[in-house]
Amino acid sequence: MSNLTYKLNPMPAPIPQEKLDRLAKLETATIGHFYHYGFAAPAIQPVLPGKVVAATVATLAIPGLDSTLLHHCLSQCGPGYFLAVDRLGDTKYACWGGGVTRMAAMIGLEGGCVDGPHTDTAEIKEQDFAMWSRGPSPVTTRLYNTGGGFNVPVSIGGAAVLPGYAVLADESGVLFIAPEDLDEVIAEGELKTERGQVNEAKITGGLHLGEMSGATKMVEAKTKG
């Protein structure tokens, strides 16, 4: 008989570090110019400013009042991984607080994301831990042993996420990238970044944005009498 209470799967294979190093040099906002999948809703924001994480995703799905599986499975994660937590629609109860943060920092977890609230912001700051959530809440979860899933398909801010995806999380938001898209996304992101640096230099040098983008020509063509 299958166990419908807990679905526990092994940790996904890590993405090669060379790819993660290249991904970490990009910005989610740059990739957002050409890639349409995997972006979490803007409501999911960084708890601490200035953090950038590129890592392999482990996933967790836990129901509203219960964080039993988070406590159990956290120790299976570690360096190179980012834990994405699906709260299955709950936006009131904070599953991630000071204790979870201390454990995550101790084991070397690269960062975490909760599609719901966090708590104990001061302890997240104290641990200098890279964390994204829908904001703080004083109402916390308990250990009710009601179930959940580890390394199962999840939804994070409307993005469909599988264990083993890549994540790039920064001050603009959280992006999950399927492994089969990663090489192309990195290559295009590097090209966009290089072009962006050239354009920034042109604007600094005095070129108007409308002239550079072609917007001025478009408006003038419509307004010439």
Side-chain angles (χ1 to χ4, degrees):
M1 182 178 177
S2 64
N3 187 339
L4 299 179
T5 303
Y6 288 110
K7 294 181 179 294
L8 305 178
N9 292 315
M11 290 292 290
I15 292 168
Q17 190 60 46
E18 177 267 337
K19 293 184 181 183
L20 295 177
D21 290 343
R22 290 171 65 193
L23 184 62
K25 294 176 183 177
L26 305 177
E27 297 179 1
T28 56
T30 299
I31 298 172
H33 282 287
F34 62 88
Y35 193 61
H36 303 291
Y37 310 103
F39 289 93
I44 298 180
Q45 291 285 310
V47 178
L48 303 182
K51 295 295 184 184
V52 178
V53 174
T56 304
V57 177
T59 65
L60 183 71
I62 48 176
L65 286 167
D66 190 5
S67 57
T68 308
L69 192 58
L70 172 59
H71 288 212
H72 171 68
C73 288
L74 188 58
S75 60
Q76 297 183 38
C77 304
Y81 287 96
F82 179 97
L83 185 58
V85 184
D86 184 345
R87 297 295 283 110
L88 301 174
D90 181 78
T91 57
K92 179 178 180 180
Y93 296 95
C95 68
W96 195 300
V100 172
T101 300
R102 287 178 184 277
M103 174 71 178
M106 182 189 75
I107 64 175
L109 191 70
E110 303 296 331
C113 173
V114 177
D115 189 354
H118 72 277
T119 194
D120 300 331
T121 303
E123 293 185 63
I124 295 175
K125 289 179 180 178
E126 179 188 331
Q127 297 294 315
D128 195 32
F129 187 74
M131 182 72 202
W132 285 256
S133 83
R134 288 183 178 265
S137 172
V139 190
T140 61
T141 53
R142 301 286 189 271
L143 302 185
Y144 288 128
N145 201 26
T146 53
F150 183 55
N151 286 321
V152 296
V154 296
S155 175
I156 305 292
V161 185
L162 297 177
Y165 273 29
V167 63
L168 177 62
D170 59 20
E171 286 195 305
S172 293
V174 183
L175 166 62
F176 300 98
I177 306 170
E180 62 268 22
D181 292 348
L182 188 55
D183 288 341
E184 190 173 353
V185 167
I186 291 173
E188 183 67 19
E190 289 171 342
L191 184 61
K192 287 280 187 186
T193 299
E194 185 178 335
R195 288 175 178 169
Q197 291 168 347
V198 171
N199 289 337
E200 287 169 7
K202 289 180 180 178
I203 293 172
T204 301
L207 182 66
H208 286 218
L209 179 61
E211 182 182 349
M212 185 177 68
S213 69
T216 297
K217 281 186 178 180
M218 295 169 72
V219 173
E220 288 176 345
K222 289 281 189 179
T223 55
K224 283 180 180 178

